[in-house]
Amino acid sequence: MPLAITFPTAGTRVVSHHSNCPDVLTYHGLTCRAPVESRFMKFPLALITGLLVLHGAAQADTPSGIGKEGFDPTVRPQDDIYHAVNGGWIKQTVLPPEEAHIGAFKTLYDLNQLRSRQIIENAAAHPADSAEAQKIGDLYHSFMDEARIERLGLTPLQPQLARIAALRNKAQLVALLGQWQSEPLETPLGLYVEPDAKNSRATLAGVYQSGLAMPDRDYYLEKDARFEHARQAYLRYLTALFRQAQFSHPAQRAQTVFQLERQLAQLQWSKVDNRDPQKTYNKLTLAQLAQLAPGIDWPSFFAQAGVPQLAELNVAQPGYVSALAKLINSQPLASWQDYLTSRLLDGYAPYLNKAMVTARFEFYGKALAGTQQQRPRWKRAVATVEDSLGEAIGKLYVQHYFPPAAKARMLQLVDNLMAAYRQSIDTLSWMSPATRAAAQRKLSQYTLKIGYPDKWKDYSSLTISANDLVGNIQHASAFRYREMIKKLGKPVDRSEWGMTPQTVNAYYNPTLNEIVFPAAILQPPFFDMQADDAANYGGIGAVIGHEISHGFDDQGSQFDGDGNLNNWWTAEDRARFQALTAKLVAQYNGYEALPGKHINGQLTLGENIADNAGLQIAYKAYQLSLAGKPAPVIDGMTGDQRFFYGFAQVWRSKTRDAALLSQLVSDPHSPEPFRAIGASANSDAFFRAFDVHPGDRMYKAPADRIRLW
């Protein structure tokens, strides 16, 4: 799973207004949709500061890899490892007005944006180099041509606005919802194609709940004053959209849309329920779907969506789909027209005139993320090109920034972590020999992908114009959608990647049983060949361990080595595992990240398991790398201390409260401070490294420490 941002719960559609968001954190309030296919893909949220030298103990003159200038000497690691390591940096650092979150991960993300900008601008200057260079340059130019965009205003959307206005009945409404599956818009029902969770060699279409503008249903339903503030901001935003589009009674229409979305929110499953792969696997025939939700003309919906010959599909949230059919028929057509108009205006606002861009930023940027200033236009342009032509840029990125030696070193590192995992499984006290053997089989079947895909995406069918930004966005979205639905009826392409090489992240995909590390994460500060082994194992080592561990978290452990949703556990071992994870839920439930707002230990369980197991495995791998030799003391720090300092400093970050609120209700990752504290508090090695005793704030009795993998 990624190490840092949001991922699809039950089939998130490829909609990306903020491309290349870290997949370990939801990029703190930015409603990030990464171009990922699997509903169950897991991402790491680790921000790392150094990699491993992988050849035994570091010498005394080797850099420690620990940024002691960021320490807070007034905080003891025995009381709070996170603030001991990062407190000085936090006190000294001011969030830039355009950022909701900064930290180690964001630093590398910004560096890669600069690199992508250079690649894009070079392509724009040399369009004759290739057809892809021409498209890259034209798309970038179309975004940067502010004068033309301002002159056009909302003209590019007039055909679609007219289509909405022309709706005369609910049958036409349903047909439009089907047609809009290829648009970069959120509608109440989304369609996806991915490997069948119970037959991972075959593809399966499915539908899932969608259609809310705010991060989670809590924003519509909870009484918390912070959510009420967001609701009022959303109403102002909707009013501004209708006013800019010159609709009559904009405030009244805004209320209509909000109330309709609120009803959708009441019908939707919680994010915790959506994490359950058994609950969200409901394969139905078309006849069964019609019985479940008789108020929708399903043949029309699927025909307009470009998949008219479906024999069966997965319905991720059956209760929602059934209730949605009733809602479609019970609400006036005019209300649905206002809703669709708002979705259209909101979806395309980033690509329209300044008034629309500003209105959108006032809501998503200021109200939901707490930022005070819009990102520079070039950054938004780069994100858009990354979103639409990601692998075309990635091909050039790899040539410039990913030497073969980096891939070889990463392979060695992963091998060390896998060896540690195999040893750890063999010594688990809570697992029986039969389940232990099955776990070893699954681990042996992992596929490893490093750097970049063997086969690059073909963009030849994607039409891009230097003078039509909205058209380009439509074409790029339709291209991604066509690529997705073309998979139906074909064997799963196991060579495909869910991230581009320039994405600073990593992931585990249970239906393919693969761990994937894009090139961008394999460089400083993540991959530093000069850094000490200890700090690097605490950094990138824990990240790799995190991804490996997702195959054995509460979700991933329900899939076998072939990627099928299939129980390979004995009932007794599963019960023991669930008893352990219940303790982990309780631990993280106890962390108060904002006044009156605690971490949801059930929502974050998978990532917390991966953080805890990843740290434990990384430590074991570090010990293996020493080959029985003592680690040197560097800068007054023992090897074990540097390991935990390295782990804590990768989570160095600063986040605005509004963005943190969004993360707490919608993101499966715990906030960074608690990722460092929570996992360290369960590590026996941490207690030995810092001589932690009763009375220290991080102390946990040995019997209370949660040891999973």
Side-chain angles (χ1 to χ4, degrees), residues 109-149:
Y109 171 77
D110 287 344
L111 171 62
N112 273 1
Q113 266 218 316
L114 286 170
R115 290 172 170 175
S116 289
R117 182 186 187 181
Q118 293 173 341
I119 290 170
I120 290 167
E121 291 183 345
N122 183 68
H126 302 89
D129 285 357
S130 69
E132 287 185 349
Q134 175 84 54
K135 291 176 181 180
I136 290 170
D138 285 350
L139 179 53
Y140 187 71
H141 179 270
S142 71
F143 196 103
M144 296 300 291
D145 190 354
E146 293 183 77
R148 181 179 179 82
I149 292 169

Side-chain angles (χ1 to χ4, degrees), residues 54-71:
L54 303 183
H55 53 64
Q59 301 303 309
D61 58 351
T62 300
S64 70
I66 304 301
K68 295 182 75 173
E69 69 282 355
F71 282 24

Side-chain angles (χ1 to χ4, degrees), residues 83-219:
H83 284 94
V85 172
N86 303 309
W89 177 88
I90 292 170
K91 291 176 183 177
Q92 299 161 12
T93 300
V94 177
L95 272 165
E98 71 273 14
E99 299 296 350
H101 167 84
I102 57 174
F105 179 95
K106 185 63 168 55
T107 298
L108 188 49
Y109 171 77
D110 287 344
L111 171 62
N112 273 1
Q113 266 218 316
L114 286 170
R115 290 172 170 175
S116 289
R117 182 186 187 181
Q118 293 173 341
I119 290 170
I120 290 167
E121 291 183 345
N122 183 68
H126 302 89
D129 285 357
S130 69
E132 287 185 349
Q134 175 84 54
K135 291 176 181 180
I136 290 170
D138 285 350
L139 179 53
Y140 187 71
H141 179 270
S142 71
F143 196 103
M144 296 300 291
D145 190 354
E146 293 183 77
R148 181 179 179 82
I149 292 169
E150 204 64 32
R151 286 196 307 272
L152 288 172
L154 271 63
T155 302
L157 297 185
Q158 290 307 316
Q160 288 168 295
L161 289 169
R163 173 75 188 275
I164 297 169
L167 294 176
R168 292 293 174 263
N169 52 54
K170 300 295 176 63
Q172 292 178 353
L173 169 65
V174 168
L176 184 59
L177 291 177
Q179 188 181 76
W180 271 17
Q181 295 303 305
S182 64
E183 291 281 348
L185 309 172
E186 294 282 2
T187 63
L189 202 60
L191 184 138
Y192 63 90
V193 176
E194 66 181 22
D196 186 334
K198 292 191 176 181
N199 180 17
S200 64
R201 298 286 174 176
T203 54
L204 180 67
V207 291
Y208 64 96
Q209 66 185 30
S210 184
L212 303 182
M214 290 196 281
D216 183 69
R217 65 179 194 168
D218 285 2
Y219 276 78

Side-chain angles (χ1 to χ4, degrees), residues 492-514:
V492 172
D493 181 359
R494 303 180 75 85
S495 69
E496 191 173 19
W497 279 51
M499 285 182 178
T500 64
Q502 64 274 24
T503 301
V504 187
N505 222 319
Y507 66 88
Y508 170 77
N509 188 339
T511 54
L512 299 183
N513 197 25
E514 64 181 9

